[in-house]
Amino acid sequence: MRQIIFSEIGLIHLIASISALIFGTMVLVLTKGTKFHKQIGYVYAVSMLGVLVTAFMMYRLFGKFGIFHITALISLATLLGGMVPAILRKPANSWFNLHYGFMFWSVIGLYAAFMAESLVRIPQTPFFGMVGIATFLVMLIGGVIFGIYKKKWATLA
């Protein structure tokens, strides 16, 4: 277990990540707009904030601010880009489209991070090669799924 988790912050990061994966998946597959969807969405958002805060507390890999901190900033932007319009209900004519678009990509980005983290754990694999492959494939699949469901979600607005 010590090879997977290197600190208490790492343990909190892992727990928040698993929570965000579970609740993010639920948000994507459950009926949109229900009270339950909203509650699960808030749990996802809090879980993601836990993932992101702890990500900025970890510097073991490079010893300084690195590429994964940059991806955490992108993840924070997608999370805020989805939550702020939903909370404020603004802009009035497009908050819903902003919400579902950004939240979808927030969850897909989390899946990409999960796949990258999983693949780099395989012994004798090229670290950045596996990160790139995982990210590319998950984003490609996510893009296809987004294209399929975008019209359906737009009818919910």
Side-chain angles (χ1 to χ4, degrees), residues 50-69:
V51 170
L52 296 169
V53 166
T54 56
F56 290 114
M57 299 169 81
M58 296 188 288
Y59 291 88
R60 184 178 173 276
L61 191 60
F62 300 113
K64 60 183 181 179
F65 191 88
I67 185 69
F68 298 113
H69 297 106

Side-chain angles (χ1 to χ4, degrees), residues 93-142:
N93 59 344
S94 63
W95 75 265
F96 184 82
N97 290 333
L98 290 170
H99 172 68
Y100 80 74
F102 277 106
M103 293 311 288
F104 178 86
W105 287 109
S106 174
V107 176
I108 297 302
L110 180 63
Y111 289 163
F114 171 74
M115 288 304 299
E117 181 68 27
S118 299
L119 291 179
V120 299
R121 300 289 178 167
I122 300 170
Q124 307 300 317
T125 57
F127 183 85
F128 284 108
M130 297 309 273
V131 169
I133 289 168
T135 302
F136 174 78
L137 288 177
V138 171
M139 292 298 186
L140 178 66
I141 293 166

Side-chain angles (χ1 to χ4, degrees), residues 81-97:
M83 290 302 295
V84 170
I87 291 168
L88 299 178
R89 305 284 183 175
K90 292 181 181 180
N93 59 344
S94 63
W95 75 265
F96 184 82
N97 290 333

Side-chain angles (χ1 to χ4, degrees), residues 34-87:
T34 65
K35 182 178 179 182
F36 188 60
H37 168 85
K38 293 173 187 174
Q39 291 169 334
I40 295 298
Y42 282 114
V43 174
Y44 168 75
V46 169
S47 298
M48 277 303 295
L49 286 175
V51 170
L52 296 169
V53 166
T54 56
F56 290 114
M57 299 169 81
M58 296 188 288
Y59 291 88
R60 184 178 173 276
L61 191 60
F62 300 113
K64 60 183 181 179
F65 191 88
I67 185 69
F68 298 113
H69 297 106
I70 294 170
T71 59
L73 288 172
I74 294 167
S75 181
L76 178 60
T78 60
L79 183 63
L80 292 175
M83 290 302 295
V84 170
I87 291 168

